[in-house]
Amino acid sequence: GINGIGKSSVIQSLLLLRQSLTKVATAGAFGIYLKGELIDLGTGKDILHSDADEEIIKFNLEFDYNKKLNCTCKYDPDINILPLEEKNIQLDLSQSLFNNDFQYLGAQRAEPAFSYPMDSLKVDKLRTLGKQGEYTAHFIAQNKRREIKIPELLNKKESSNDLLNQIIAWLNEISPGVSLDSTTYPELNLAKVSYSFSGQSSYSDDYSPVNVGFGYSYVLPVLTAILSAEKNSLLIIENPESHLHPRGQAILGLLISYAAKSGIQLFIETHSDHLINGIRIGMKKHGVPKDKVKIFFFDREDGDSNTEILYPQIDQNGKISNIPTGFLDEYSNQLDQLIS
């Protein structure tokens, strides 16, 4: 869907529930917390739909096995903690939305830098990379020799199954000839990533992320999140294709399809037809079941503030049907103008 049509709002609703549960555990006050580590949505007036019939904020969420979460907030336009109408809401804490089998990477990720922060609580206990991927360097350094737990994610060109070598193997699919390492400096509370590149006889000297462009720094948290995930994990990733060449976007789509096949649930927000085509190739060429892939297209009529969610169908060969206007058609639109 186009910009500003509501894709991020769906993601924010899930983040809001997770954030609120964490806040309830630490602050003790039961409610929906609009401001926190994951997101800051302002106050009540900022999240109420402009055409709402009633001044209510309501969540309806259904998990597997018909477990449901329904809750309604008491609306107040001027506060950022909205009390719940009922305080006996039962949460299934075994769901990955609420436990440590969860990663969220926002669209704005940590830029290339000479060093990155360390946080033992976030990395060792919560196993999070940070919403900007800011703890990725620390996470890799801490877990580089840990074996990947899901065989479907392994790059067969690499004999080693540990996290670091598998990250390097998939990074080479995106950009051949690159290697990396990560090191922590506890006395400085910093972690560093270094890249090197293959030459005629050996690898180059190490380069800092600031000397190799944005693409590596933006995709590294995505690769790390997927490869370190366990079955039944939930990954929410916005624009994973950012700063990647089209080939890299397609490879990333293929890896995402492998993750879905293996039992990881991913919510991916993307504008990339290359990434979607990589997922389709995973279905046609690598046996990713069609029931593991769903496409949601957000649309609205001109002058209408209500978003309609459409569902293009995708079969086992990766063929898409019920294609709505505006879905993956901009290339042909521009080409038509060039050849007319």
Side-chain angles (χ1 to χ4, degrees):
I2 62 173
N3 300 106
I5 203 168
K7 301 184 300 297
S8 295
S9 296
V10 173
I11 289 174
Q12 288 170 348
S13 67
L14 298 175
L15 298 177
L16 197 55
L17 288 172
R18 178 178 176 86
Q19 176 170 282
S20 298
L21 176 65
T22 305
K23 285 286 190 178
V24 167
T26 56
F30 209 72
I32 298 298
Y33 286 73
L34 304 184
K35 181 180 178 63
E37 288 192 1
L38 288 176
I39 49 173
D40 182 357
L41 298 181
T43 62
K45 64 183 178 183
D46 296 306
I47 66 169
L48 185 70
H49 194 286
S50 58
D51 293 334
D53 296 325
E54 299 178 77
E55 290 185 339
I56 61 171
I57 307 294
K58 197 171 189 178
F59 293 87
N60 295 297
L61 197 62
E62 185 171 330
F63 298 97
D64 291 338
Y65 315 114
N66 294 319
K67 296 178 181 178
K68 297 181 180 181
L69 170 63
N70 300 311
C71 61
T72 302
C73 304
K74 296 178 181 178
Y75 176 72
D76 188 317
D78 300 319
I79 63 175
N80 58 18
I81 304 174
L82 302 181
L84 296 179
E85 294 284 358
E86 299 179 35
K87 294 188 178 181
N88 60 346
I89 303 297
Q90 299 297 312
L91 295 178
D92 181 4
L93 300 184
S94 67
Q95 294 290 339
S96 51
L97 179 60
F98 301 122
N99 62 29
N100 289 348
D101 295 327
F102 174 89
Q103 291 284 357
Y104 165 60
L105 293 173
Q108 183 179 354
R109 294 195 279 282
E111 296 182 355
F114 289 104
S115 62
Y116 298 93
M118 289 179 60
D119 191 317
S120 295
L121 172 63
K122 299 288 179 59
V123 170
D124 297 337
K125 301 298 183 183
L126 303 180
R127 293 185 56 76
T128 180
L129 304 177
K131 69 177 183 180
Q132 295 182 326
E134 64 268 31
Y135 304 120
T136 301
H138 183 190
F139 189 96
I140 293 174
Q142 197 77 2
N143 297 281
K144 64 173 72 176
R145 299 307 170 202
R146 180 172 293 184
E147 289 196 352
I148 304 297
K149 294 187 177 182
I150 301 179
E152 292 92 335
L153 300 179
L154 296 174
N155 189 302
K156 303 303 188 291
K157 296 178 183 178
E158 171 56 54
S159 59
S160 175
N161 293 349
D162 65 58
L163 178 63
L164 179 62
N165 281 294
Q166 283 296 315
I167 290 174
I168 293 172
W170 279 105
L171 198 57
N172 269 270
E173 298 285 351
I174 293 170
S175 181
V178 63
S179 186
L180 69 91
D181 199 4
S182 184
T183 308
T184 57
Y185 297 86
E187 68 279 7
L188 301 175
N189 202 35
L190 295 174
K192 293 186 177 183
V193 173
S194 58
Y195 294 93
S196 57
F197 300 88
S198 60
Q200 291 184 345
S201 59
S202 63
Y203 274 88
S204 69
D205 293 335
D206 290 341
Y207 290 91
S208 165
V210 299
N211 299 121
V212 297
F214 272 74
Y216 294 121
S217 293
Y218 261 60
V219 77
L220 188 59
V222 178
L223 294 178
T224 305
I226 294 173
L227 294 174
S228 64
E230 300 184 12
K231 288 185 185 295
N232 300 316
S233 294
L234 173 61
L235 309 183
I236 300 177
I237 306 176
E238 298 183 59
N239 303 121
E241 73 277 5
S242 292
H243 297 287
L244 285 184
H245 182 276
R247 166 193 165 132
Q249 296 178 33
I251 292 295
L252 195 54
L254 184 63
L255 177 59
I256 286 169
S257 75
Y258 290 169
K261 179 183 179 181
S262 71
I264 299 169
Q265 185 175 22
L266 304 99
F267 285 83
I268 304 295
E269 180 190 359
T270 182
H271 294 281
S272 171
D273 50 354
H274 305 294
L275 185 131
I276 292 175
N277 288 338
I279 294 172
R280 296 167 67 190
I281 289 171
M283 299 173 69
K284 182 174 183 177
K285 300 291 188 181
H286 302 282
V288 177
K290 66 178 183 179
D291 64 352
K292 294 291 186 180
V293 179
K294 295 188 184 301
I295 299 173
F296 304 93
F297 182 73
F298 290 60
D299 194 18
R300 67 169 170 239
E301 298 291 335
D302 289 342
D304 189 353
S305 62
N306 292 309
T307 294
E308 181 182 10
I309 301 178
L310 306 174
Y311 308 92
Q313 300 299 305
I314 185 165
D315 67 17
Q316 191 56 59
N317 289 318
K319 183 178 180 180
I320 301 176
S321 58
N322 298 338
I323 299 176
T325 302
F327 179 74
L328 300 186
D329 61 1
E330 196 54 40
Y331 177 83
S332 58
N333 291 342
Q334 299 296 325
L335 189 60
D336 286 345
Q337 294 187 59
L338 288 170
I339 64 177
S340 62

